[in-house]
Amino acid sequence: MASSHSSSPVLHSRGGGGRDGIHHKERDFSPPRCRPLRSLPDVCPKEPTGEGRGLCDGPSVVAEHDRWTVYSSKVNLPAALNDPRLAKRESDFFTKTWGVDFAETEVMPSFYLPNITREHFGPYAQEMAQRERVHERCKTICPNKDDVDAVSSVTTNHEKSRAELEQVPKIFMKPEFALEDPATFNAVLPWSHFNSAGGKSSRDVASSKLLQEKLSHYLDVVEVSIARQISLRSEAFFHAMSSQHELQDRLQETQRAVAVLRGRTTAIDRVMCQGPLQALRTALTRNNCVKLHNKLKLMAAVHQTQPTVQLLLSTSEFVGALELIATTKEVLQQELQGIHSFRHLGSQLCELEKLIDKMMVEDFSMYARSDLNRSLKDDPQVPEKVLNPNTVSLKERLESLVFGLLRQRKLDFLDIYSEEMIMAAKAIVTQCVAESVFHIEEIDTEVVTKLADQMRLMTFPQWFELLKNVFEGFLLFLQRMKATLNVIRVVVLEVLDSNQKSQQVKEAALEASGQEPSHVLPQLQGEAELAYLTHEGLFISDALNEAQQQQQVQDLSSATSSRTQLGWAEPDLASVTREACASREQSFMSGENMMPTDLELNRMLNNIQELLYNASDVSHDRCVKVLTTRAKDGSLERLSSAEFVGLSQAVEGFVRDTEELCGRRSVSLRGALHSQANRFVHRFHEERKTKLSLLLDNERWKQAEVPAEFQDLVNSIADGRITLPERKTPGPDDRKPAEFLLVNGQKYAVVGTVLLLIRIFLEYCQCVSDIPAVATDMLARLSDLLKHFNSRSCQLVLGAGALQVVGLKTITTKNLALASRCLQLVVLYIPIIRSHFETKLLPKQFSVLRHFDHITKDYNDHIAEISAKLVAIMDSLFEKVLSKYEVKAPMPSACFRNVCKQMAKMHEAINELLPEEQTQMLFLRINASFKMHLKRQLARLGVINDGGPQHGLVVVDVAFYTENVQVLKNLERLDLNMAEIWEQKR
C-alpha cells in the first residue's frame, strides 16, 4: 500500500528495537537526495508539496499536528483526499468524475479476523506491569531522546516556528516599516545603549555585536519561514508549465485564422477597391485647388504687411511690427519663394526693420529721459493709468519697447538708461539748490552764479534743510528707478520663461515623433506662420475691419474687400494694441531664433541689478559733493556737537534707506562723513585744549567759589547721568555760590579751571554718546587733554611757572594743597569716564582703555610729589632753625617758638583744603622730619637722656612743641612719639 505523502520519507518499524512493539519513524540526517520527488497523480489539484525535510523538520500552516503512523494510512484514494499538504481540499472529488449518485460507505469489518477484546491482553498486561513501572520510572528520570523527538517533532515544530516568528519584533511586520523614519530607525537600532562620550569601550563593542547577532537571527527566522512557504508552492510552477501547451495550440489556431482573414482582405481589395481610387484622385485634385486658394489668400495677406506695420508703429507696438516683418520674411522664403511680384518686398522689409531699430532706441532714450526727469512730487511708480482711450500707458509703452529691443537683440539699451540716470542725478542736485536759493533773499543768484558758492553762503540750518531735500529727492529717484527696472526685469523673465517653455515643447515634439530637428522644425514654423497670417484671431487687418466686412457686399472677394477697407477705414488703435499685446508671447515662440539666449538674458538680469547698485553709488557720490562743497571753507568743522550729530543722523538715515531700497552698502557717503567727523573731532579737541591752556595760564591757583550750576552738574554725574544738562533760560537764581564742591559727601576746594575741566570732559562724553563711531579717536583726544592738564599744572605749580606766567610772588603751601586737591578730584572722575567710554567701544577696542590707567598713575605720582614738596618745605625750615638751637634758658626757647609758629601757619594753610586724614598723614611726616633734625642737633650738642639740667630744658621745649601741635584742629589725637629723639643708634 503506497503512502499518500509523496514528499515524506518512508517510515520503518523497529522490529527488534524494543519489546513494546511501538513503530517509530526513522530520522535521516543524510544530505538531501538529488533525484526529484514524486508528485501526486494528475487527478489531484496542483498545490505546492514542498520537500520532505521541510515537512518533517518544521511545522506547516496546513499540515496535521498529530503524529503520523502507519495506521494513519488507508488506501491511495483516501490518502489523496486527506493530503495534509493541500491548502484547500476538494469536496467534489468523487461526484465530479462518477456522478452525483456516488456516495462514500463505511467498510465492513473483515470476516477473517477474530474479534479481539481486552481480555486477550490480560496475561500480557500482568506480565509486563512490573516492567512498565520500571520503564516509566526510567523515562521520567531520563527520557529517550529518540522517542521524545519522534512523538513531539510534528506537534512542536509548528509551535516552534510560530514562537520563532513571534520573537521577531512586530515593528518589522508593519506595512509602513521604513528605516528612513527616525523613530523607526531608533527603535530598530537603539543607539542610546552605546556610549556617545567618545571612544569605543568593550561594553559598546559587545553591545554592537549582540545587536548584530540578534538582527541576523531575525533574518534567519524570516528566511526559513519564507523558504518553507515557497517549498509548499513549488508544484504551482509545474501546473503553469502544463498550461503552456494549451496556449501554444490556441496560438496556432489564431495564426491560421489570421492567414484566412488576410486572404479574404486581398480578394476584397482586388474586387472592391479599384473603383474608389478614382474618387481619391478627384479628392487630391480638389485638395490641390484648396492649397492654391490658400496660397492666394496668403499672398493677399503678405501684400497688406507694410500698411499693417505702419499701423502698429503708430501705436508704438514694436514687437507686433517686428514679428509681422519676420513672419512675412519667413513666408516669402518658404511659402512664396520665386513669386515675381514679391521680388523687392524682402529688401523693403529689411530696411523697414532697420528703421524700427532706430525708432526703438530713440524712443527708449526719450522715455528714460522723461521718466527720470519727472517732478519729484509725482508717484515714483511707473504710471499705469491711461488718460486718453486711444493711447497706451507708460508701463505698456515701456514693456513694448523692452520686448522690441530684446527681439532685435539690442541688449545695450541699459547703457542708455545708465547715461540718462547720471544726468538726472546731477539735475536733482541742481534743482534742489535752485529751489532752496529761491526762498533765500540774502543770496543774489545774478551775482553768485555757481552752485558751490551759493551753498557756502547759506547758513547751516539752510544748508542742512537743502541736504535733507537732496536726500529725499534721491530716495524718490531711486524708488522710481527701481520701479522702472522691475518692469524691465519682469519682461526679461517673461522672455526667459517663454524660451524655456518653447524649448520644452520642441523637445517633447521631437521625442513624440522620433524625427530629427532638421526635418520637423521647418514644417512647424511654416504651419505657425501660415496660421498667424491667415487665422481670423491673429490677422490684425482682419481684426481691424471685422465690423466693416459685415456691411460689405457678400459677393466681393475677401482679398479685394480687405485691401479696399484697409485704405479707407479708420482703425481703432486701442484694439490694435490689445491684439498685439495678446499675441506677444506667440510672437516670441515664432521668432525665438532672433531672441537672446538664456545666458544673455541671465546676464541682462545681473546688469539690471548692477544698474540699480550704480544708481545708489551715483546718488551717494552726488551727496558727497554737496557735503565736501560745504566743507571746503571749514564750516562743518566749526559746528556744535548737536549740529554735527544732526548731520550725522541725517546721513546715516539716508544711507540706511538706500541700503534697504537697493540692497547694497555704499561707502562713499559714509567715508566722507567719517572724514568730516575726524576733522570735527580734531577741531573739537583743539578748541578745548586751547581753552584749557588759556585757563591754566591765567590761573592764580586760589580757591574759587562753586556756582550752583556746577554743583548740579556734579550731582547729575553722581546719579549716573554722564551728559550735559539742558541750557536753562537766564533768570534770577537765589542760590549763592558755595565755598566747596561737594562730591559724594566730601568737600573739594578747587580752582576755576578744574570746574571748567569737568564740563569739558562731559562735553567729550556727550559727543561720544551722540557719535559712537568716533569713540576711539575721542578717547585718545580726551587722554591727551587730561595729560596736558596734569603736565601743565605741574609746570605751573611744582615748577613755579606761575611766577612768570601770571606774576605770582611765590608758590605757597596753600597753592600746593589746592593743586593737590584739584588733581584728586580729576582722579575721582577718571573711572567714571572710563566706564562711559567702555559702553561705546567694541570688545576688540577695549585695549585703548589702558590710557586711563596710565593717566591715573601719572596723576597719583603728581599728588605724591606735591605732598613730598610740602614736607620738603618744612624740612628745610627745620634744618635752618634747629641748626641754631642752643639748650639754655629761658624756656621755651625762641627756636621752638619759631618752629611752632611755622607749624601753625602750615596747618592754617592746608587744614581747610585737605581732608582730615591727609592732614594727619602730612603732619606725621613733618613731625618725623622735625624729630630727625632735633635728634641730630642734640647729638651735636651732646645732650643725652641723663636727667641732667640740659636734659630738663630740652624736655620743656619738647613739651611746649607737643602741646602746640596737638592743640591744632584735627591733630588732637596725633601720636607724635617724641621719645624717639633720645634713642641711640645701635
Side-chain angles (χ1 to χ4, degrees):
M1 182 169 59
S3 173
S4 64
H5 296 272
S6 62
S7 63
S8 300
V10 181
L11 301 177
H12 299 276
S13 171
R14 289 194 287 179
R19 298 182 60 184
D20 51 358
I22 302 175
H23 295 280
H24 298 274
K25 180 165 65 176
E26 186 175 85
R27 299 177 63 84
D28 186 8
F29 295 94
S30 62
R33 299 173 183 175
C34 298
R35 63 181 180 86
L37 298 176
R38 291 183 302 166
S39 61
L40 294 177
D42 290 341
V43 296
C44 297
K46 297 298 185 291
E47 293 290 345
T49 58
E51 296 182 358
R53 183 178 180 182
L55 291 173
C56 184
D57 295 344
S60 174
V61 295
V62 297
E64 298 291 339
H65 300 314
D66 297 332
R67 183 181 178 186
W68 188 89
T69 64
V70 294
Y71 293 101
S72 301
S73 298
K74 295 182 180 179
V75 294
N76 282 345
L77 189 57
L81 291 173
N82 296 323
D83 190 352
R85 296 169 299 167
L86 298 179
K88 180 179 180 183
R89 303 185 181 182
E90 299 180 356
S91 59
D92 58 344
F93 184 85
F94 297 98
T95 58
K96 72 179 182 180
T97 304
W98 293 293
V100 296
D101 295 333
F102 184 86
E104 186 178 1
T105 60
E106 294 184 358
V107 180
M108 298 297 295
S110 177
F111 298 102
Y112 300 97
L113 296 178
N115 187 16
I116 303 302
T117 62
R118 189 176 183 84
E119 284 73 17
H120 291 84
F121 297 93
Y124 177 79
Q126 292 178 2
E127 181 182 357
M128 301 301 294
Q130 182 64 26
R131 294 183 179 180
E132 183 181 6
R133 286 192 294 270
V134 174
H135 175 70
E136 291 295 329
R137 286 198 302 270
C138 292
K139 186 167 65 173
T140 57
I141 296 173
C142 184
N144 191 336
K145 185 176 184 303
D146 293 336
D147 293 343
V148 173
D149 292 340
V151 173
S152 61
S153 61
V154 176
T155 58
T156 61
N157 277 344
H158 179 67
E159 297 296 329
K160 179 180 179 183
S161 178
R162 178 178 297 177
E164 288 178 349
L165 287 175
E166 289 179 354
Q167 292 178 3
V168 179
K170 300 299 182 182
I171 188 173
F172 292 104
M173 305 301 180
K174 294 182 178 181
E176 63 272 9
F177 174 78
L179 283 177
E180 293 85 358
D181 186 12
T184 305
F185 187 82
N186 293 331
V188 174
L189 299 173
W191 294 108
S192 60
H193 294 175
F194 301 104
N195 185 12
S196 61
K200 291 187 177 180
S201 63
S202 59
R203 182 176 180 183
D204 295 336
V205 175
S207 300
S208 63
K209 289 183 177 180
L210 180 59
L211 178 61
Q212 184 178 2
E213 292 176 0
K214 183 184 295 185
L215 294 176
S216 300
H217 173 66
Y218 293 160
L219 179 62
D220 295 340
V221 170
V222 174
E223 287 181 348
V224 168
S225 299
I226 293 174
R228 184 177 298 111
Q229 295 300 323
I230 291 175
S231 66
L232 293 178
R233 302 294 187 270
S234 61
E235 289 187 1
F237 173 74
F238 298 101
H239 179 67
M241 293 299 295
S242 63
S243 302
Q244 185 71 19
H245 299 290
E246 181 180 359
L247 181 61
Q248 292 179 355
D249 296 339
R250 294 184 179 180
L251 287 175
Q252 292 177 359
E253 294 177 2
T254 304
Q255 185 178 5
R256 289 193 292 271
V258 170
V260 173
L261 180 61
R262 294 182 67 179
R264 293 178 181 178
T265 304
T266 302
I268 293 173
D269 179 62
R270 184 177 61 255
V271 175
M272 302 181 64
C273 293
Q274 294 298 330
L277 285 177
Q278 185 62 33
L280 292 178
R281 294 189 185 96
T282 304
L284 182 59
T285 303
R286 181 182 181 278
N287 289 336
N288 290 335
C289 293
V290 171
K291 290 181 180 179
L292 177 60
H293 179 259
N294 291 335
K295 190 73 68 174
L296 294 174
K297 289 176 60 177
L298 183 59
M299 292 176 63
V302 169
H303 183 68
Q304 295 182 1
T305 298
Q306 288 181 321
T308 307
V309 168
Q310 297 294 337
L311 185 63
L312 290 172
L313 293 180
S314 65
T315 61
S316 299
E317 187 54 46
F318 300 104
V319 178
L322 290 171
E323 192 56 38
L324 183 58
I325 292 173
T327 305
T328 305
K329 291 167 66 176
E330 293 292 336
V331 171
L332 288 174
Q333 294 175 3
Q334 297 177 8
E335 301 293 331
L336 304 179
Q337 188 175 8
I339 296 179
H340 186 73
S341 60
F342 289 151
R343 63 186 182 278
H344 300 303
L345 183 59
S347 59
Q348 293 174 359
L349 293 177
C350 290
E351 294 297 329
L352 188 59
E353 190 173 7
K354 294 179 181 179
L355 177 61
I356 292 175
D357 291 347
K358 296 180 180 179
M359 291 178 60
M360 286 192 300
V361 172
E362 293 178 359
D363 203 357
F364 183 79
S365 178
M366 292 176 59
Y367 173 82
R369 190 178 303 111
S370 62
D371 180 64
L372 294 176
N373 292 321
R374 280 190 293 141
S375 175
L376 298 177
K377 299 179 181 180
D378 294 345
D379 187 5
Q381 302 299 323
V382 180
E384 299 183 8
K385 296 182 180 180
V386 180
L387 300 179
N388 190 349
N390 290 329
T391 60
V392 296
S393 65
L394 292 179
K395 183 177 181 181
E396 293 178 353
R397 179 187 175 192
L398 176 61
E399 291 176 347
S400 176
L401 284 171
V402 175
F403 273 118
L405 292 170
L406 293 178
R407 176 66 176 76
Q408 294 302 104
R409 303 177 69 89
K410 299 291 183 180
L411 306 182
D412 57 346
F413 65 91
L414 289 180
D415 298 336
I416 300 174
Y417 195 80
S418 177
E419 295 174 359
E420 296 295 338
M421 176 266 293
I422 296 175
M423 297 177 62
K426 295 179 180 179
I428 287 177
V429 177
T430 304
Q431 179 182 355
C432 291
V433 173
E435 291 179 355
S436 299
V437 171
F438 179 76
H439 298 288
I440 301 175
E441 298 178 355
E442 293 80 4
I443 300 177
D444 188 359
T445 55
E446 296 180 357
V447 177
V448 183
T449 57
K450 294 184 178 181
L451 295 179
D453 296 336
Q454 293 175 359
M455 284 190 284
R456 293 191 192 100
L457 291 177
M458 296 180 183
T459 62
F460 176 77
Q462 294 172 347
W463 177 85
F464 187 56
E465 188 65 27
L466 167 65
L467 183 64
K468 291 193 290 185
N469 292 336
V470 172
F471 287 163
E472 184 179 357
F474 274 116
L475 284 176
L476 294 174
F477 171 73
L478 292 176
Q479 291 175 5
R480 183 173 300 165
M481 273 203 63
K482 185 175 182 181
T484 302
L485 293 177
N486 282 337
V487 174
I488 299 176
R489 182 186 291 108
V490 170
V491 173
V492 175
L493 290 175
E494 288 181 5
V495 175
L496 183 61
D497 184 62
S498 177
N499 286 352
Q500 294 175 353
K501 288 181 179 179
S502 176
Q503 187 67 23
Q504 293 175 359
V505 170
K506 187 189 301 180
E507 293 175 357
L510 291 176
E511 293 177 359
S513 62
Q515 299 180 5
E516 294 296 327
S518 59
H519 297 151
V520 179
L521 186 59
Q523 181 180 359
L524 293 178
Q525 287 182 348
E527 293 178 358
E529 292 156 359
L530 179 61
Y532 178 81
L533 289 174
T534 58
H535 193 273
E536 183 179 0
L538 293 178
F539 189 34
I540 300 178
S541 62
D542 290 342
L544 291 174
N545 302 300
E546 182 178 0
Q548 287 82 356
Q549 286 178 357
Q550 296 177 1
Q551 300 174 4
Q552 298 300 324
V553 181
Q554 307 218 343
D555 57 344
L556 293 178
S557 63
S558 60
T560 305
S561 175
S562 178
R563 288 195 297 269
T564 303
Q565 292 167 30
L566 184 62
W568 295 97
E570 292 186 1
D572 186 3
L573 298 180
S575 64
V576 174
T577 303
R578 287 193 293 270
E579 291 292 338
C581 293
S583 63
R584 184 173 291 153
E585 186 173 356
Q586 288 83 352
S587 300
F588 287 134
M589 298 290 286
S590 62
E592 60 182 354
N593 57 342
M594 296 290 294
M595 295 303 294
T597 62
D598 292 352
L599 180 61
E600 292 174 337
L601 292 174
N602 288 324
R603 189 181 297 117
M604 275 208 64
L605 292 175
N606 294 333
N607 292 339
I608 290 172
Q609 189 63 40
E610 285 297 327
L611 182 57
L612 185 60
Y613 294 160
N614 293 338
S616 176
D617 294 341
V618 169
S619 301
H620 281 244
D621 293 341
R622 304 311 302 180
C623 293
V624 167
K625 288 189 176 181
V626 174
L627 196 66
T628 54
T629 300
R630 176 70 179 185
K632 277 187 178 180
D633 58 352
S635 59
L636 295 183
E637 302 174 14
R638 296 188 295 272
L639 297 179
S640 65
S641 299
E643 291 174 340
F644 194 84
V645 167
L647 175 62
S648 175
Q649 291 175 351
V651 171
E652 288 294 334
F654 175 70
V655 172
R656 183 172 57 254
D657 292 340
T658 53
E659 287 178 5
E660 294 176 357
L661 187 63
C662 302
R664 181 171 180 171
R665 184 183 182 90
S666 299
V667 298
S668 59
L669 188 56
R670 272 201 177 101
L673 178 65
H674 187 68
S675 175
Q676 292 299 325
N678 292 335
R679 296 178 183 176
F680 170 77
V681 169
H682 178 72
R683 192 270 314 162
F684 181 89
H685 173 69
E686 290 300 325
E687 284 184 356
R688 280 147 185 80
K689 186 176 181 180
T690 304
K691 180 178 180 180
L692 181 62
S693 299
L694 292 176
L695 291 173
L696 287 172
D697 292 342
N698 293 307
E699 182 60 59
R700 302 189 64 85
W701 297 100
K702 293 183 179 180
Q703 182 178 358
E705 294 182 344
V706 180
E709 58 175 336
F710 284 97
Q711 185 62 54
D712 295 339
L713 190 64
V714 170
N715 294 337
S716 67
I717 296 175
D719 295 337
R721 297 190 299 273
I722 315 298
T723 57
L724 289 173
E726 298 181 358
R727 293 182 177 273
K728 297 181 179 179
T729 56
D733 193 352
D734 297 337
R735 294 182 298 175
K736 297 180 179 180
E739 187 178 359
F740 296 94
L741 183 67
L742 292 178
V743 182
N744 297 329
Q746 291 188 10
K747 293 182 179 181
Y748 284 86
V750 293
V751 296
T753 303
V754 173
L755 294 176
L756 295 176
L757 178 63
I758 294 175
R759 185 177 183 87
I760 288 174
F761 71 65
L762 280 181
E763 291 177 354
Y764 278 78
C765 295
Q766 180 71 40
C767 187
V768 168
S769 299
D770 296 335
I771 316 174
V774 298
T776 54
D777 195 10
M778 193 65 75
L779 187 146
R781 304 303 175 99
L782 180 57
S783 301
D784 179 67
L785 185 75
L786 293 175
K787 290 179 181 179
H788 176 71
F789 174 78
N790 185 38
S791 61
R792 187 59 179 160
S793 60
C794 180
Q795 294 172 5
L796 293 174
V797 180
L798 281 179
L803 299 181
Q804 292 81 20
V805 176
V806 294
L808 294 180
K809 295 180 179 180
T810 182
I811 302 299
T812 63
T813 55
K814 192 169 186 177
N815 298 140
L816 292 172
L818 191 58
S820 175
R821 197 54 174 162
C822 292
L823 294 173
Q824 293 174 24
L825 180 62
V826 177
V827 171
L828 177 66
Y829 282 113
I830 288 178
I832 299 175
I833 300 172
R834 177 194 176 108
S835 300
H836 179 75
F837 272 84
E838 188 174 0
T839 59
K840 307 302 178 183
L841 294 174
L842 299 176
K844 62 182 180 181
Q845 298 174 335
F846 284 171
S847 59
V848 299
L849 295 173
R850 67 180 184 275
H851 294 302
F852 289 114
D853 299 332
H854 299 159
I855 293 172
T856 303
K857 181 180 180 301
D858 294 341
Y859 271 71
N860 288 329
D861 293 343
H862 190 184
I863 295 171
E865 290 177 3
I866 292 176
S867 298
K869 182 66 176 178
L870 292 173
V871 175
I873 292 173
M874 297 303 295
D875 183 80
S876 62
L877 176 66
F878 294 151
E879 183 179 5
K880 178 180 179 181
V881 173
L882 291 178
S883 62
K884 301 177 182 179
Y885 176 63
E886 295 180 358
V887 182
K888 61 181 181 179
M891 293 297 161
S893 63
C895 180
F896 270 73
R897 290 177 183 274
N898 191 14
V899 167
C900 292
K901 180 180 179 182
Q902 296 299 327
M903 293 281 283
K905 288 183 178 180
M906 169 67 74
H907 179 268
E908 181 182 0
I910 67 173
N911 182 48
E912 296 296 333
L913 302 178
L914 298 179
E916 180 179 352
E917 297 80 4
Q918 294 183 20
T919 304
Q920 292 176 356
M921 291 298 299
L922 182 62
F923 271 87
L924 283 176
R925 294 176 61 185
I926 293 173
N927 180 63
S929 176
F930 173 76
K931 289 189 295 183
M932 180 188 68
H933 288 287
L934 178 60
K935 183 177 181 180
R936 187 180 303 167
Q937 183 65 18
L938 291 177
R940 187 180 302 114
L941 295 176
V943 180
I944 59 175
N945 187 11
D946 55 357
Q950 288 187 333
H951 174 260
L953 294 175
V954 172
V955 169
V956 173
D957 281 341
V958 169
F960 174 76
Y961 168 79
T962 303
E963 180 181 357
N964 279 273
V965 171
Q966 290 183 343
V967 79
L968 298 176
K969 187 178 180 181
N970 298 328
L971 302 181
E972 296 85 357
R973 300 179 182 179
L974 192 66
D975 185 10
L976 301 179
N977 193 13
M978 296 302 296
E980 291 181 354
I981 62 175
W982 306 111
E983 294 180 358
Q984 301 294 328
K985 293 183 179 180
R986 297 180 182 179

